[in-house]
Amino acid sequence: MKTATQNVRSLAAIGLALIAAAALTLLASGAHAQVSKDLESLGSNRDVNKRAARLESRSRVAIVQNRTVKRNWRPEIGIQYAPVAYGDSYLQTQNVGLNADLHFTPKFSVGVRYSKAYNNLTNEGKAQYDRAQDADNSGSTDYSIPDVDVPQETILGVVNWYMMYGKINFFDASVIQFDIYSLAGGGQVQLKSGPTSTWTAGGGIGFWLNQHMTSRLRLKTWRSLKKIA
Amino acid sequence: MAIAEKDRVRMSIGRIRYETGDFDGAIAAYAKVTRGGGSYLTAAEETAWAEFRRDRPEAAIAKLQTVTSPAFKDVTTSEPWFLLGLAQLRVCDFKALFKTIDDFKGRYGEKVKKLESAKTVASKAELEEIGQSVQKLNIVEAEAIQLLYLDENGKPRKGSAPAIAKDSEQLSFPQVEGDEFWLDELEGFRVTLKGCARKGPSQVATKGGSK
């Protein structure tokens, strides 16, 4: 049986509980309102910030990723198509060929390049020949024919140095790694008039698309070493 | 068993190992959580805690670069920022620590104001979580200030961290400042440190940790 004293105690206990709950609620809402103030004060001491900024950072952060294609003692074969720019003004040459490379390390490789040349006269060359043909048909000897020595095939040995690397975001579809490289080499070019030595130098970008496919854009110059008699 | 279910099991294994002090075992369990799955970020954060407790703050910092990446700013909690600051305090990298605080303020400044004006239960809960991180970062900052003034004696500290190690089949890229990020880099962070002359701050600061 409850007594009057017990009832009073019960009411007092409920009252205290309500006061405590209200106090907790107030504390909670006060704490919420405090967050932006606390956040504002965080790191706001200019003197400290200046002092910290003067220090050398004690950590170094970088992103390290594996190469798409491992290139220690890795062979690479490929086909090439190379139109010739800034060559003989009467001749338009396009080379189609095969490449074979051996990568010693990711930085260096040696390779062999074989290319077969497909030659056509440029508009200027064709006009020159047409004028000579017309003059010859009309019995005139007052014409000249350009002395064009066309390349037929070339074989080169090259050394490639992959001096820089990077990666590109390929239309947000994938990330492709690439190397910027330079090359130098020498070999032999078979001209119509006979074989002669040649050298080459240049540079390019190699894109490593996946483990089994690469793509290269290369710009190179080559000179035949045939002496003009 | 579905991937999510498997991940839940892996997370549970990781947590049990963490609780028993088997931090390497916990890290191994978290590493099996599916990359990109629903538990991935939590696993990454808890891995960072395990690395920190394993006394590998550089590994914790590296892991937290992923967790605090702008890529996940809408799905991560604020606590990883506290752990990042704590790990930086552990190695006396005060410069990086104050940058972390700056970045934290940048990330949460506007958000806190919005949460304070919202009156929903969810916003209050989130605000409370951020508030706790702010408080913990305040403690970290106070500790850093003390060390900065007492240990440094006003002299600029010299000596940068060692170079990032990588083998010939790996590429390294600098960390991009600001909000730019590359998704393919998220698990690739590596950190080297030049630690403190003494280990005092870690013992004090770890008490602020929630794990």
Side-chain angles (χ1 to χ4, degrees):
Chain A
M1 184 189 287
K2 280 185 179 179
T3 63
T5 312
Q6 279 174 322
N7 282 336
V8 170
R9 281 180 185 165
S10 299
L11 283 170
I14 291 166
L16 281 170
L18 284 173
I19 290 165
L24 282 172
T25 309
L26 281 171
L27 279 171
S29 62
H32 290 156
Q34 191 67 29
V35 175
S36 57
K37 281 184 183 174
D38 287 348
L39 188 63
E40 195 63 37
S41 68
L42 193 63
S44 60
N45 188 324
R46 287 186 180 184
D47 186 37
V48 172
N49 279 332
K50 276 183 190 171
R51 185 178 280 255
R54 280 207 310 269
L55 301 174
E56 194 161 355
S57 188
R58 308 215 105 199
S59 61
R60 197 186 298 265
V61 183
I63 297 110
V64 176
Q65 294 177 298
N66 292 329
R67 287 182 185 272
T68 306
V69 178
K70 294 194 171 183
R71 302 214 302 266
N72 283 313
W73 295 101
R74 184 90 188 254
E76 179 189 358
I77 55 171
I79 54 173
Q80 66 161 333
Y81 166 73
V84 175
Y86 305 110
D88 192 311
S89 58
Y90 297 117
L91 207 58
Q92 189 178 49
T93 303
Q94 297 177 82
N95 291 299
V96 177
L98 295 169
N99 302 333
D101 286 276
L102 178 63
H103 297 269
F104 296 121
T105 71
K107 289 277 184 190
F108 289 99
S109 71
V110 293
V112 179
R113 311 268 180 268
Y114 169 79
S115 61
K116 188 167 175 51
Y118 293 88
N119 300 289
N120 287 306
L121 288 172
T122 60
N123 289 338
E124 190 180 352
K126 193 169 183 306
Q128 187 83 357
Y129 273 91
D130 287 347
R131 277 197 297 276
Q133 188 68 56
D134 290 345
D136 190 50
N137 289 342
S138 63
S140 169
T141 56
D142 186 20
Y143 62 83
S144 64
I145 300 172
D147 183 16
V148 177
D149 196 0
V150 297
Q152 293 175 326
E153 57 184 19
T154 309
I155 188 156
L156 290 167
V158 294
V159 177
N160 300 292
W161 173 37
Y162 303 86
M163 48 196 174
M164 284 187 275
Y165 60 74
K167 59 183 182 177
I168 54 170
N169 180 347
F170 194 70
F171 300 111
D172 281 341
S174 63
V175 174
I176 296 172
Q177 294 173 1
F178 64 85
D179 281 279
I180 296 176
Y181 65 95
S182 59
L183 66 90
Q188 192 174 64
V189 57
Q190 180 69 43
L191 299 171
K192 191 179 177 186
S193 61
T196 183
S197 300
T198 183
W199 61 265
T200 186
I205 304 178
F207 296 94
W208 308 96
L209 305 177
N210 58 45
Q211 278 290 334
H212 304 291
M213 193 173 289
T214 68
S215 169
R216 289 168 183 253
L217 293 172
R218 190 166 50 230
L219 195 64
K220 67 177 184 182
T221 182
W222 66 269
R223 292 280 186 276
S224 84
L225 302 176
K226 189 174 186 180
K227 289 182 179 172
I228 298 169
Chain B
M1 197 188 291
I3 289 174
E5 189 61 30
K6 281 182 182 174
D7 283 347
R8 269 196 290 275
V9 171
R10 289 162 184 153
M11 290 294 295
S12 298
I13 293 169
R15 283 167 179 164
I16 290 166
R17 288 176 176 170
Y18 184 97
E19 291 299 328
T20 56
D22 177 12
F23 301 121
D24 286 336
I27 291 164
Y30 293 135
K32 289 179 184 166
V33 171
T34 311
R35 188 177 177 185
S39 303
Y40 168 67
L41 279 176
T42 311
E45 183 188 344
E46 292 184 18
T47 300
W49 273 108
E51 295 283 13
F52 182 77
R53 296 290 299 274
R54 182 72 184 76
D55 203 21
R56 287 193 292 238
E58 74 282 6
I61 292 170
K63 206 70 182 172
L64 290 165
Q65 302 300 312
T66 299
V67 181
T68 58
S69 162
F72 304 122
K73 67 180 178 185
D74 295 325
V75 288
T76 50
T77 61
S78 61
E79 194 175 70
W81 291 87
F82 157 63
L83 178 57
L84 181 58
L86 187 61
Q88 287 161 338
L89 176 66
R90 164 79 67 92
V91 296
C92 304
D93 192 352
F94 303 117
K95 187 173 182 177
L97 166 58
F98 282 96
K99 185 179 180 309
T100 296
I101 288 172
D102 264 0
D103 291 345
F104 178 81
K105 288 175 76 173
R107 178 77 65 89
Y108 287 99
E110 285 301 313
K111 189 172 187 174
V112 162
K113 284 176 186 164
K114 281 182 187 169
L115 289 171
E116 280 176 342
S117 59
K119 300 293 179 193
T120 63
V121 175
S123 64
K124 280 181 183 171
E126 191 173 358
L127 191 61
E128 194 169 322
E129 189 271 327
I130 296 170
Q132 284 172 4
S133 296
V134 172
Q135 293 302 328
K136 291 173 190 172
L137 273 172
N138 261 313
I139 296 168
V140 170
E141 186 193 15
E143 181 76 18
I145 291 169
Q146 188 185 358
L147 289 173
L148 195 58
Y149 278 84
L150 294 179
D151 285 9
E152 302 300 321
N153 199 21
K155 293 177 184 171
R157 177 172 246 166
K158 297 285 183 189
S160 55
I164 300 285
K166 67 177 177 67
D167 66 37
S168 65
E169 297 287 18
Q170 291 179 316
L171 313 177
S172 66
F173 298 96
Q175 186 184 25
V176 181
E177 294 288 330
D179 275 0
E180 188 183 340
F181 69 93
W182 288 58
L183 207 56
D184 66 309
E185 294 177 342
L186 284 177
E187 277 287 332
F189 289 97
R190 193 172 288 181
V191 175
T192 58
L193 301 170
K194 186 176 176 67
C196 305
R198 63 183 183 84
K199 284 194 171 182
S202 62
Q203 291 166 357
V204 179
T206 309
K207 289 177 186 169
S210 65
K211 298 283 187 244

